[in-house]
Amino acid sequence: MSSEDGPSKKVSRKPRYSRFTQQELPACKPILTPALVIGILMCLGIIFIPIGLLALSASENVVEVVDRYDDVCIPSTDQKVGFIKDPATNKTCIRTFTIPKKMRKPVYVYYQLDNFYQNHRRYVKSRSDRQLWNPKAESSTTPCDPEGQTGDGKPIVPCGLIAWSLFNDTYMLSKNDAALQINKKDIAWRSDRTHKFGSNIYPKNFQNGTLIGGGKLDESIPLSQQEDLMVWMRTSALPTFRKLYGRIETDLEANEKITVTIQNNYNTYSFNGKKKLVISTATWIGGKNDFIGKMYMAVGGTSIVLGVIFSLLYVFKPRPLGDPSYLSWNKSPTLD
Amino acid sequence: MSVDFVRSPSSSSYSIKEVSFREGNDVIVNPVIRYDSSGSNPVRHGSRGASSGGFGSSYKEIKDDDARLVYVNDPLRTNEKRFRFAGNSIRTSKYSFLTFLPRNLFEQFHRIAYIYFLVIAILNQLPQLAVFGRGASILPLALVLFVTAVKDAYEDFRRHRSDRIENNRVASVLVNGEFGDKKWKDICVGEVVKISGNQTLPCDMVLLSTSDATGVSYVQTTNLDGESNLKTRYAKQETQAKASLWGEIGGMLIKCEKPNRNIYGFQANMEIDGKSISLGPSNIILRGCELKNTDWVIGVVVYAGKETKAMLNNAGAPSKRSRLEKHMNKEIIILSLFLVALCTVVSISHGVWLRQHRKELYLMQFYRKYDYSEPEVEKYEYYGWGMEIFFVFLMSVIVFQVMIPISLYISVELVRIGQAYFMIRDDRMFDKSTNSRFQCRALNINEDLGQIKYVFSDKTGTLTENKMEFQCASIGGVDYDNGKAIDTETGYSAQVDGMVLRPKMMVKIDQDLLHLSKMKHTDEGKHLCDFLVALAACNTIVPLTVETSDPAVKLIEYQGESPDEQALVYAAASYGFMLVERSSGHIVIDIQGERQRFNVLGLHEFDSDRKRMSVIIGCPDQTVKVFVKGADTTMFQVIDKSLNLNMVKATESHLHAYSSKGLRTLVIGMREMSTSEFEQWQSSYDSASTALMGRANLLRKVASNVENNLRLLGASGIEDKLQQGVPEAIESLRTAGIKVWVLTGDKQETAISIGYSSKLLTSQMTQIVINNKSDSCRKSLDDALQLYKKLSDVSNSNDSGNGAGTNQLALIIDGTSLVYILETELEEKLFELSSKCTAVLCCRVAPLQKAGIVALIKNRTDDMTLAIGDGANDVSMIQKADVGIGISGQEGRQAVMASDFSMGQFRFLVPLLLIHGHWNYQRISYMILYNFYRNVVLVFVLFWYALFTGFTLTTAITDWSSVLYTVIYTSLPTIVVGVLDKDLGRSTLLKYPQLYGAGQRGESYNGNLFWFTILDTLWQSIAVFFIPLIAYWDSTVGISALGDLWILAVVILVNVHLAMDVIRWYTITHIAVWGSILATFICVMVIDALPFLPGYWAFFMIAKTKLFWVCLLGIVVSGLVPRFVVKVFVQHFKPDDIQIARVAEKFGYLQGDAETEMNPIFDLPQRTATT
């Protein structure tokens, strides 16, 4: 571009005309006219408020029972960690609660951990996804440190802190002394079962170290059927999280008493983490959370209020659109 | 006649117009008026005197130490031991096969952006800091490097090829007494080369002989400086004589200056047969030129290969930084402070977190301070408190790296290329007469065009066409100005060898004058005859004959470097004094059918001190006459007024009348020389012109000795027509709030009259004229300031500021006063006064003063300055101003070479500034702000998340997404909008030039807007991050799924944000904006379909839930509502001019003429409709 190269004087160097090069392409020029502004704001209101209402009612319809048990399922207050780490102690714990409202099936059973940083950098990195589905990559445990290999150098399958810290409390539910079946099948994603966790990979050397992080795995069951592991290995985004434990395939009536027999194995006492059992129904909005509803109501409401304010302003302080006499140099200075 | 003629030492580039070179103290008479600035002063220099060192060097006398010794026809000796001169093989390519990789990488890493990339990428490779995967962290840098390397390699390959072709061309070289073919690359200094007509010269050579007996040859220097007129070059008579003996010639020694890039200067001495003769620029022919109108020349190589002037001048375009970019860099520093602040917050919080949990770190499942797998238990990736904090700090720098919008530099560059493309392609800025397009020589100051406050314009060739037309003459005290145009056929023609010769252009003929010119017996007739001979002879014009369709008729075309001289010679020809032949020793003038031979005995160049030139002519009647022409101020000093006082007085009044009409005037005088006087002159001239020391001064002294006691012949008036559209253009610029200053070398009267005709001055203006010498300047300035105060008081009391137009001031100041003012403390006052004037006209200014005036404004205000000019005398001001524009016109190309932009006509300034400048500014400013916003919003989202991960910088958004964010997800729309979006249409911008004020006031990019944007960014990042966070609180959502939601939300948000601000939606804008969102979805899907990543299938799982989509919608709307509302409020209650004009444009208040309006500035080309 810097120098011209026209070898022949005869040839006109005049740029060839096209609407593109002359920047005259047809274009749509939307302008925010008062009508459009009010229309947009009203539309937002009209769309957002109903969605907000739907979301609120959906959240309202969710029946949720949350029971914190980590503090009550432990005998003494000062030897918590010793108690939980001792394999010999009896960790069975029985809790009862009442169903406040009718819960339609399927009813989901979750465990909730608070203050457990499953998104901690040291933790998230410590896994080997290749090892989980490729039998040949069994020994690719480099990212898994410090749970990559056993002390004598054998690869751990599944390796890494995440698998090592597998949650291992168990819940037995009973309703009026009759056992309530918890269906633990298909609690993990189908994609995990079919693609991510190999059906020919079996746990090896797992949880053999000196420090036990959590649950053990049955070495005769392939990873593709270890659904608790799969759920656990979908690391959560936030330090407080729920994970699906199973489903109850029957309706629970209001005021029914539910008894839970908890095996309180998992150590959250070392970092003051809480453990909760959650029994909840689900709707399209997910669990019980009215934030989305409220937010939508707020946004919709604000839009309508603003729309009204603008309408009033346009009525009481109108300004002709695009009147050239309003251009700064056309305005007489005395007018302002 | 026995008088030996002495040839002029150089061809002249006498130009009467603006004094075109600098008043250095030691260098006055230089053989060449122009100095080469494109190369020797690539750096912008200070206002006064700073540059004199740079250009003066080539005019110094040659000292032996500095000299290059060339033994003619003895290349071995020339190149022996002490000096190894460069061979003629050239290398423009940068790399060879082996050096490509290291050198190219080295060059690429000169860019600070790449170094930043590299440092971040290296940090990321440290195991403790590996935030991103290896691939993801290196890919962007590798991609950019690779693409650039491929481009460079391709360019270099082409250079290699052209080098090879160039080096293998063949020239005829004297070897062992015979001319034989030799490849260009094998030619070396000292060899003798023979060039035939129309061949290109292989190296810089001193002419030894030419096919013309008098040693004349002609070269075309188009390749060198773009000038297409023929330049005359001479072989010295001494060497010419030996033309037949070339076989055994030798023993000549040329002592010349070291290679330099001044293509208009050359100084050397040649020792031949014990005599020393001087060589000047007219004796050298340069590589790249073409030999024309000459059968052959023989020359000796003095500079070869990379030492030739052509190669030394291969310098790049000047590099400047735009004001917006400087601003932007300031804001980027603020952003880096942000970055440091964020990183500090994260790392300190991390330290606090570690401290609080220090007792728990051993057993926490998610921390695992110890590694038990080894026999010996050791700490696992834990380096103690301080180090952990430090590592977290570095990691957060890696994670938040996009805070510094490095990609912005690349996008801005791309957008500028796009804008340059549109400016170059704008057919409204194509000049038909010179067949020249607009050119962008500097690519990085496009947006400065939208903020110009001052325009400094040259007059001749810039405001005017620089096509001189002889209008009228005052001869012997009689004014002849009744010229009537006559057509060529009936005009004067001469018969030569059965051929009819006609001048190519005819001037208007005054019948009285024509009649008088035929009466040679009367006194008036003789006087007129002398006058016309002076016109025909006192110049350096070369007549060329051009074939016409009629074989019996030939046209005479006058080639010369000064358009004034051309006009005078054409005028003389029209009255029957036709210059038909020029060789180095004589000229032939066809005087009304009679061919007469005049010997040119001597020539004194024009210089700005004497402001005149003279020739010494041996006439056919054996008399010797001195003809002098020059500016009236200096001519009247050397004219003997006692001879005919009345005539002098009459001529003076005519001159005044001419210059009031805007004509350029020249006074012509002559006297006869006696033989003794001539001999005396000749000896002093000879000794002066071969002097080794102070040659310039000596020559000047010789000239002033003969130029005295002249008899006044008359004066001429030459019209320099205003360029088309100039008054309208100035009017538009003025309305746009741009102050136009005209700086000219012309006389005050001429300047003022041009000022009126170009509408720079209007009759309502109060003129303040300052042309006093020295001390009274102070008083004039004070008076003027008083006057201004009085006027503004009066108008204020009269009608409360309404009549701003009534007290417009125009300042007219001349060069002498300027010099005085600029050198004293009065500078401040001048600035104060001039900034209050609507028009400023500086006349009689020297080039360096032009730069001084620009500096006066530039140093005292923040306002942007633009200088426009066409000649070498404008170079200093073009380089000094923020934006320099060169007019590619009649005067060669130095101005263009020094400029940032070049164009064909002054009036193109209007579309350039008001349309393209406005658009460029608005586009780039928006783009910069948007890019800040776009990157910062992502950084904030990442930052918020860091607060929820124990301050460990886990990223929910995958590595690849965060890397692709600036590369694919959001890059294209901003570039497309930056190139294409227009806030206002062409015709609106032209109709309301005031709209340009938006750029001058910096409305589209300023500190407030920056902070407002950051505030908006903060809110939007909160919306993006916290809405999903709260909505998914206490849920089973996984880190990858939420990450996908966040990245998609950010991308949709920033693209919709852009969409909200787009003013004109083209199809391509739609494709870019919506396509980017689509591309993001596709990329996220692809990333989540890779089973070896932890986030496998996460997107598909979360996208199945309605909550995901509800969140997305909620984020986008709640993120943008505040911005939307503020925008609407501002548009309704405080609309700016652009907003009003835009609405008006849309709803047709301006439509009436919007599409069809023919602005007088444009001679809109008649297009064939292609739509």
Side-chain angles (χ1 to χ4, degrees), chain B residues 719-733:
Chain B
E719 187 186 14
D720 187 5
K721 273 196 184 154
L722 270 189
Q723 280 183 13
Q724 199 186 358
V726 166
E728 293 85 352
I730 289 186
E731 181 76 35
S732 284
L733 293 179

Side-chain angles (χ1 to χ4, degrees), chain B residues 828-1074:
Chain B
E828 200 61 51
K829 277 202 173 114
L830 177 67
F831 167 72
E832 198 185 332
L833 177 64
S834 56
S835 56
K836 289 185 169 106
C837 294
T838 27
V840 177
L841 197 64
C842 305
C843 36
R844 292 283 188 222
V845 283
L848 207 53
Q849 290 166 2
K850 291 187 176 181
I853 296 166
V854 176
L856 176 78
I857 297 301
K858 217 179 132 182
N859 297 342
R860 282 182 176 70
T861 63
D862 280 340
D863 296 335
M864 300 287 288
T865 53
L866 177 147
I868 179 168
D870 73 322
N873 52 348
D874 306 314
V875 166
S876 63
M877 104 177 152
I878 286 177
Q879 290 188 328
K880 183 77 202 163
D882 294 303
V883 178
I885 295 186
I887 298 270
S888 42
Q890 310 287 311
E891 267 203 74
R893 294 180 51 85
Q894 289 104 303
V896 171
M897 304 283 266
S899 67
D900 305 310
F901 303 96
S902 81
M903 52 195 193
Q905 298 266 327
F906 179 81
R907 67 173 191 277
F908 297 160
L909 211 51
V910 174
L912 180 67
L913 297 184
L914 299 193
I915 298 174
H916 289 287
H918 179 93
W919 286 342
N920 290 348
Y921 169 72
Q922 173 261 333
R923 286 165 178 174
I924 297 255
S925 355
Y926 180 74
M927 172 159 171
I928 293 173
L929 280 178
Y930 176 77
N931 272 269
F932 285 163
Y933 149 78
R934 173 189 80 159
N935 286 9
V936 175
V937 82
L938 180 70
V939 170
F940 271 124
V941 169
L942 295 170
F943 171 73
W944 300 132
Y945 188 59
L947 303 183
F948 290 87
T949 60
F951 316 101
T952 54
L953 299 160
T954 314
T955 48
I957 297 165
T958 55
D959 315 354
W960 287 98
S961 280
S962 37
V963 163
L964 294 179
Y965 179 72
T966 47
V967 183
I968 294 180
Y969 297 175
T970 57
S971 63
L972 198 60
T974 129
I975 293 173
V976 167
V977 170
V979 174
L980 288 180
D981 202 23
K982 301 195 289 186
D983 55 351
L984 288 169
R986 214 179 259 279
S987 40
T988 315
L989 288 171
L990 285 179
K991 185 167 181 194
Y992 294 113
Q994 293 96 328
L995 291 169
Y996 187 74
Q1000 291 171 332
R1001 294 187 292 270
E1003 279 178 9
S1004 308
Y1005 187 88
N1006 51 45
N1008 289 343
L1009 271 178
F1010 172 76
W1011 288 109
F1012 175 74
T1013 307
I1014 293 295
L1015 219 63
D1016 187 27
T1017 308
L1018 198 64
W1019 164 253
Q1020 294 192 19
S1021 72
I1022 288 173
V1024 169
F1025 180 77
F1026 286 96
I1027 289 176
L1029 182 87
I1030 304 174
Y1032 283 99
W1033 196 260
D1034 280 353
S1035 77
T1036 59
V1037 75
I1039 188 167
S1040 320
L1042 205 53
D1044 288 343
L1045 173 55
W1046 275 324
I1047 189 71
L1048 284 168
V1050 172
V1051 170
I1052 294 174
L1053 186 74
V1054 298
N1055 277 310
V1056 174
H1057 174 118
L1058 181 72
M1060 221 166 82
D1061 291 341
V1062 167
I1063 293 155
R1064 269 164 215 245
W1065 283 93
Y1066 304 99
T1067 324
I1068 186 164
T1069 322
H1070 281 290
I1071 293 172
V1073 172
W1074 313 124

Side-chain angles (χ1 to χ4, degrees), chain B residues 59-84:
Chain B
Y59 304 114
K60 288 187 194 121
E61 302 300 335
I62 306 167
K63 291 193 199 86
D64 265 7
D65 294 350
D66 300 333
R68 146 180 292 218
L69 301 175
V70 179
Y71 298 92
V72 177
N73 201 15
D74 195 351
L76 286 176
R77 191 166 165 209
T78 306
N79 288 301
E80 123 191 300
K81 56 190 195 253
R82 192 152 73 93
F83 306 109
R84 285 283 316 164

Side-chain angles (χ1 to χ4, degrees), chain B residues 599-631:
Chain B
N599 287 324
V600 181
L601 303 174
L603 186 142
H604 291 289
E605 297 286 330
F606 176 84
D607 72 59
S608 68
D609 220 41
R610 287 156 47 234
K611 292 201 174 95
R612 55 181 181 254
M613 75 166 292
S614 56
V615 284
I616 293 166
I617 298 282
C619 295
D621 57 359
Q622 307 299 313
T623 53
V624 178
K625 288 176 179 164
V626 190
F627 290 101
V628 189
K629 74 169 192 281

Side-chain angles (χ1 to χ4, degrees), chain B residues 476-626:
Chain B
V478 185
D479 184 13
Y480 299 93
D481 63 348
N482 292 319
K484 289 191 180 60
I486 51 167
D487 66 277
T488 334
E489 298 304 314
T490 57
Y492 182 79
S493 60
Q495 301 279 335
V496 183
D497 307 333
M499 295 281 208
V500 179
L501 277 178
R502 269 205 194 101
K504 196 179 170 196
M505 282 194 305
M506 298 301 286
V507 302
K508 296 178 193 164
I509 297 289
D510 184 297
Q511 290 303 327
D512 294 345
L513 200 57
L514 189 64
H515 183 66
L516 192 64
S517 70
K518 296 194 171 128
M519 316 200 318
K520 289 182 198 159
H521 320 291
T522 60
D523 275 355
E524 286 96 350
K526 274 194 189 129
H527 193 90
L528 175 62
C529 186
D530 283 337
F531 181 81
L532 290 173
V533 168
L535 292 192
C538 187
N539 54 51
T540 54
I541 294 294
V542 180
L544 294 177
T545 47
V546 186
E547 308 274 338
T548 59
S549 48
D550 181 358
V553 179
K554 282 189 176 172
L555 289 183
I556 285 210
E557 190 186 330
Y558 293 122
Q559 286 268 4
E561 288 163 46
S562 152
D564 294 76
E565 287 189 349
Q566 287 178 7
L568 292 178
V569 179
Y570 278 120
S574 305
Y575 286 106
F577 286 67
M578 195 194 294
L579 177 70
V580 288
E581 194 184 319
R582 169 184 294 272
S583 68
S584 50
H586 68 268
I587 51 174
V588 174
I589 303 178
D590 181 295
I591 299 179
Q592 287 162 354
E594 194 180 333
R595 279 170 78 91
Q596 297 203 14
R597 184 184 154 110
F598 294 80
N599 287 324
V600 181
L601 303 174
L603 186 142
H604 291 289
E605 297 286 330
F606 176 84
D607 72 59
S608 68
D609 220 41
R610 287 156 47 234
K611 292 201 174 95
R612 55 181 181 254
M613 75 166 292
S614 56
V615 284
I616 293 166
I617 298 282
C619 295
D621 57 359
Q622 307 299 313
T623 53
V624 178
K625 288 176 179 164
V626 190

Side-chain angles (χ1 to χ4, degrees), chain B residues 693-710:
Chain B
M693 296 295 292
R695 183 191 299 170
N697 273 323
L698 287 172
L699 277 171
R700 187 160 49 140
K701 214 170 280 168
V702 174
S704 2
N705 281 341
V706 281
E707 292 165 354
N708 54 33
N709 294 324
L710 300 176

Side-chain angles (χ1 to χ4, degrees), chain B residues 733-786:
Chain B
L733 293 179
R734 165 116 28 88
T735 325
I738 300 170
K739 293 188 171 172
V740 182
W741 291 32
V742 171
L743 318 177
T744 171
D746 278 344
K747 287 172 42 177
Q748 188 178 314
E749 293 79 15
T750 317
I752 290 179
S753 73
I754 288 281
Y756 275 114
S757 57
S758 62
K759 287 204 186 154
L760 183 70
L761 304 175
T762 58
S763 48
Q764 292 110 30
M765 288 181 178
T766 317
Q767 287 184 14
I768 300 169
V769 181
I770 299 179
N771 57 0
N772 328 53
K773 296 263 186 279
S774 61
D775 291 332
S776 44
C777 278
R778 182 190 305 271
K779 203 171 157 295
S780 314
L781 279 173
D782 287 338
D783 288 351
L785 281 170
Q786 288 287 314

Side-chain angles (χ1 to χ4, degrees), chain A residues 33-271:
Chain A
T33 57
L36 189 63
V37 170
I38 295 166
I40 288 174
L41 288 172
M42 290 302 177
C43 269
L44 283 182
I46 289 166
I47 295 170
F48 268 57
I49 288 179
I51 297 182
L53 287 172
L54 282 177
L56 273 183
S57 76
S59 166
E60 211 48 43
N61 286 336
V62 172
V63 184
E64 188 182 81
V65 180
V66 181
D67 183 54
R68 178 175 174 191
Y69 63 88
D70 62 290
D71 46 350
V72 287
C73 288
I74 195 120
S76 66
T77 43
D78 38 338
Q79 278 306 314
K80 285 177 189 168
V81 177
F83 170 82
I84 203 86
K85 284 180 75 177
D86 185 353
T89 49
N90 177 17
K91 303 196 180 74
T92 314
C93 174
I94 295 172
R95 306 275 303 152
T96 52
F97 45 79
T98 318
I99 301 297
K101 257 166 91 180
K102 182 182 164 116
M103 297 173 91
R104 291 188 191 283
K105 65 178 182 184
V107 178
Y108 294 92
V109 179
Y110 305 97
Y111 54 91
Q112 174 169 340
L113 295 182
D114 283 15
N115 219 6
F116 188 102
Y117 281 85
Q118 236 197 347
N119 58 12
H120 196 283
R121 164 163 296 281
R122 294 165 73 96
Y123 186 80
V124 223
K125 280 196 313 181
S126 184
R127 63 189 285 160
S128 167
D129 287 285
R130 294 182 57 212
Q131 191 202 39
L132 296 176
W133 66 289
N134 186 355
K136 286 180 199 137
E138 185 184 282
S139 54
S140 68
T141 59
T142 9
C144 291
D145 287 339
E147 279 298 322
Q149 295 175 336
T150 56
D152 46 356
K154 287 188 199 136
I156 299 173
V157 182
C159 70
L161 285 182
I162 304 180
W164 169 76
S165 61
L166 175 66
F167 185 77
N168 59 349
D169 286 4
T170 56
Y171 312 119
M172 306 269 289
L173 267 67
S174 58
K175 182 173 74 176
N176 309 330
D177 298 331
L180 204 55
Q181 200 60 48
I182 300 180
N183 182 1
K184 288 182 71 81
K185 240 186 135 35
D186 294 350
I187 54 172
W189 294 359
R190 216 167 75 92
S191 59
D192 281 356
R193 279 178 272 136
T194 53
H195 287 102
K196 202 159 174 59
F197 290 79
S199 54
N200 48 357
I201 312 275
Y202 293 87
K204 263 184 217 160
N205 309 318
F206 187 70
Q207 213 70 276
N208 283 349
T210 36
L211 189 67
I212 305 294
K216 296 200 158 91
L217 293 173
D218 185 342
E219 304 213 340
S220 61
I221 300 173
L223 289 188
S224 63
Q225 289 170 32
Q226 308 266 14
E227 295 205 36
D228 278 326
L229 178 73
M230 292 179 207
V231 170
W232 182 251
M233 287 196 68
R234 283 279 161 197
T235 50
S236 77
L238 300 167
T240 296
F241 60 90
R242 287 176 188 179
K243 290 207 175 283
L244 189 56
Y245 182 80
R247 277 185 302 268
I248 303 169
E249 305 281 9
T250 51
D251 291 352
L252 299 179
E253 298 301 328
N255 299 322
E256 273 182 333
K257 271 214 158 47
I258 303 283
T259 312
V260 193
T261 314
I262 299 169
Q263 284 300 322
N264 185 16
N265 299 322
Y266 200 68
N267 179 8
T268 55
Y269 301 97
S270 54
F271 56 86

